[in-house]
CSV table of all heavy atoms in Angstrom, one decimal:
chain,number,residue,atom,x,y,z
O,1300,ILE,N,40.8,-166.1,-16.9
O,1300,ILE,CA,41.4,-165.2,-17.9
O,1300,ILE,C,42.4,-165.8,-18.7
O,1300,ILE,O,42.4,-165.7,-20.0
O,1300,ILE,CB,41.7,-163.8,-17.2
O,1300,ILE,CG1,40.5,-163.1,-16.7
O,1300,ILE,CG2,42.6,-162.9,-18.3
O,1300,ILE,CD1,39.6,-162.6,-17.7
O,1301,ASP,N,43.4,-166.5,-18.0
O,1301,ASP,CA,44.4,-167.1,-18.8
O,1301,ASP,C,44.0,-168.2,-19.7
O,1301,ASP,O,44.4,-168.2,-20.9
O,1301,ASP,CB,45.4,-167.8,-17.8
O,1301,ASP,CG,46.2,-166.8,-16.8
O,1301,ASP,OD1,46.3,-165.6,-17.3
O,1301,ASP,OD2,46.8,-167.2,-15.8
O,1302,ARG,N,43.0,-169.0,-19.3
O,1302,ARG,CA,42.4,-170.0,-20.1
O,1302,ARG,C,41.8,-169.3,-21.4
O,1302,ARG,O,41.8,-169.9,-22.5
O,1302,ARG,CB,41.5,-170.8,-19.4
O,1302,ARG,CG,41.2,-172.1,-20.0
O,1302,ARG,CD,40.9,-173.2,-19.0
O,1302,ARG,NE,39.5,-173.2,-18.6
O,1302,ARG,CZ,39.1,-173.2,-17.2
O,1302,ARG,NH1,40.0,-173.2,-16.2
O,1302,ARG,NH2,37.9,-173.2,-16.9
O,1303,MET,N,41.1,-168.3,-21.2
O,1303,MET,CA,40.3,-167.6,-22.3
O,1303,MET,C,41.3,-167.0,-23.3
O,1303,MET,O,41.2,-167.1,-24.5
O,1303,MET,CB,39.3,-166.5,-21.7
O,1303,MET,CG,38.2,-167.0,-21.0
O,1303,MET,SD,37.2,-165.6,-20.4
O,1303,MET,CE,36.3,-165.3,-21.9
O,1304,GLU,N,42.5,-166.4,-22.8
O,1304,GLU,CA,43.4,-165.9,-23.7
O,1304,GLU,C,44.1,-167.1,-24.4
O,1304,GLU,O,44.4,-166.8,-25.6
O,1304,GLU,CB,44.4,-165.0,-22.9
O,1304,GLU,CG,43.9,-163.8,-22.3
O,1304,GLU,CD,44.8,-163.0,-21.6
O,1304,GLU,OE1,46.0,-163.6,-21.3
O,1304,GLU,OE2,44.7,-161.7,-21.4
O,1305,GLN,N,44.2,-168.1,-23.8
O,1305,GLN,CA,44.7,-169.3,-24.6
O,1305,GLN,C,43.8,-169.8,-25.7
O,1305,GLN,O,44.3,-170.2,-26.7
O,1305,GLN,CB,45.1,-170.4,-23.6
O,1305,GLN,CG,46.0,-171.6,-24.1
O,1305,GLN,CD,47.3,-171.1,-24.6
O,1305,GLN,OE1,47.9,-170.4,-23.9
O,1305,GLN,NE2,47.6,-171.5,-25.8
O,1306,ASN,N,42.6,-169.7,-25.4
O,1306,ASN,CA,41.5,-170.1,-26.3
O,1306,ASN,C,41.7,-169.2,-27.6
O,1306,ASN,O,41.7,-169.7,-28.8
O,1306,ASN,CB,40.2,-169.7,-25.8
O,1306,ASN,CG,39.7,-170.7,-24.8
O,1306,ASN,OD1,40.3,-171.7,-24.6
O,1306,ASN,ND2,38.7,-170.2,-24.0
O,1307,GLY,N,42.1,-167.9,-27.4
O,1307,GLY,CA,42.3,-167.0,-28.5
O,1307,GLY,C,43.4,-167.4,-29.4
O,1307,GLY,O,43.5,-167.3,-30.6
O,1308,ARG,N,44.5,-167.7,-28.6
O,1308,ARG,CA,45.7,-168.1,-29.3
O,1308,ARG,C,45.7,-169.5,-30.0
O,1308,ARG,O,46.3,-169.7,-31.1
O,1308,ARG,CB,46.9,-168.1,-28.2
O,1308,ARG,CG,47.3,-166.8,-27.8
O,1308,ARG,CD,48.7,-167.0,-26.9
O,1308,ARG,NE,48.6,-167.7,-25.7
O,1308,ARG,CZ,48.1,-166.9,-24.5
O,1308,ARG,NH1,47.9,-165.6,-24.6
O,1308,ARG,NH2,47.9,-167.7,-23.4
O,1309,ASP,N,44.8,-170.3,-29.5
O,1309,ASP,CA,44.7,-171.6,-30.1
O,1309,ASP,C,43.6,-171.7,-31.2
O,1309,ASP,O,43.6,-172.7,-31.8
O,1309,ASP,CB,44.2,-172.6,-29.1
O,1309,ASP,CG,45.3,-172.9,-28.0
O,1309,ASP,OD1,46.4,-172.6,-28.2
O,1309,ASP,OD2,45.1,-173.5,-26.9
O,1310,GLY,N,42.8,-170.5,-31.3
O,1310,GLY,CA,41.7,-170.5,-32.3
O,1310,GLY,C,40.7,-171.4,-31.8
O,1310,GLY,O,39.8,-172.0,-32.6
O,1311,SER,N,40.4,-171.7,-30.5
O,1311,SER,CA,39.3,-172.5,-29.9
O,1311,SER,C,38.0,-171.8,-30.1
O,1311,SER,O,38.0,-170.5,-30.2
O,1311,SER,CB,39.6,-172.6,-28.4
O,1311,SER,OG,38.5,-173.1,-27.8
O,1312,PRO,N,37.0,-172.6,-30.3
O,1312,PRO,CA,35.7,-171.9,-30.4
O,1312,PRO,C,35.2,-171.3,-29.1
O,1312,PRO,O,34.2,-170.5,-29.1
O,1312,PRO,CB,34.8,-173.1,-30.9
O,1312,PRO,CG,35.5,-174.3,-30.5
O,1312,PRO,CD,36.9,-174.0,-30.6
O,1313,HIS,N,35.8,-171.8,-28.0
O,1313,HIS,CA,35.4,-171.2,-26.6
O,1313,HIS,C,36.0,-169.7,-26.8
O,1313,HIS,O,37.0,-169.3,-27.4
O,1313,HIS,CB,36.1,-171.9,-25.5
O,1313,HIS,CG,35.6,-173.3,-25.4
O,1313,HIS,ND1,34.3,-173.7,-25.2
O,1313,HIS,CD2,36.3,-174.5,-25.4
O,1313,HIS,CE1,34.2,-175.0,-25.2
O,1313,HIS,NE2,35.4,-175.5,-25.2
O,1314,SER,N,35.3,-168.8,-26.0
O,1314,SER,CA,35.5,-167.5,-26.2
O,1314,SER,C,36.8,-167.0,-25.6
O,1314,SER,O,37.3,-167.6,-24.6
O,1314,SER,CB,34.4,-166.7,-25.4
O,1314,SER,OG,34.6,-165.3,-25.5
O,1315,LYS,N,37.3,-165.9,-26.2
O,1315,LYS,CA,38.5,-165.2,-25.5
O,1315,LYS,C,37.9,-164.1,-24.7
O,1315,LYS,O,36.7,-163.7,-25.0
O,1315,LYS,CB,39.5,-164.7,-26.5
O,1315,LYS,CG,38.9,-163.9,-27.7
O,1315,LYS,CD,40.1,-163.6,-28.7
O,1315,LYS,CE,39.6,-162.9,-30.0
O,1315,LYS,NZ,40.6,-162.6,-30.9
O,1316,PRO,N,38.6,-163.5,-23.8
O,1316,PRO,CA,38.0,-162.5,-22.9
O,1316,PRO,C,37.7,-161.2,-23.5
O,1316,PRO,O,38.5,-160.7,-24.2
O,1316,PRO,CB,39.0,-162.4,-21.8
O,1316,PRO,CG,40.3,-162.7,-22.4
O,1316,PRO,CD,40.0,-163.8,-23.4
O,1317,ASP,N,36.4,-160.7,-23.2
O,1317,ASP,CA,36.0,-159.4,-23.7
O,1317,ASP,C,36.1,-158.6,-22.5
O,1317,ASP,O,36.6,-158.8,-21.4
O,1317,ASP,CB,34.7,-159.4,-24.4
O,1317,ASP,CG,33.6,-159.9,-23.4
O,1317,ASP,OD1,33.8,-160.0,-22.3
O,1317,ASP,OD2,32.5,-160.2,-24.1
O,1318,ALA,N,35.6,-157.2,-22.6
O,1318,ALA,CA,35.7,-156.2,-21.5
O,1318,ALA,C,35.0,-156.7,-20.3
O,1318,ALA,O,35.3,-156.5,-19.2
O,1318,ALA,CB,35.2,-154.9,-22.0
Side-chain angles (χ1 to χ4, degrees):
I1300 290 293
D1301 291 342
R1302 198 150 82 231
M1303 293 180 77
E1304 289 181 343
Q1305 190 63 47
N1306 288 341
R1308 289 189 289 271
D1309 294 344
S1311 167
H1313 297 304
S1314 178
K1315 53 185 178 180
D1317 60 12

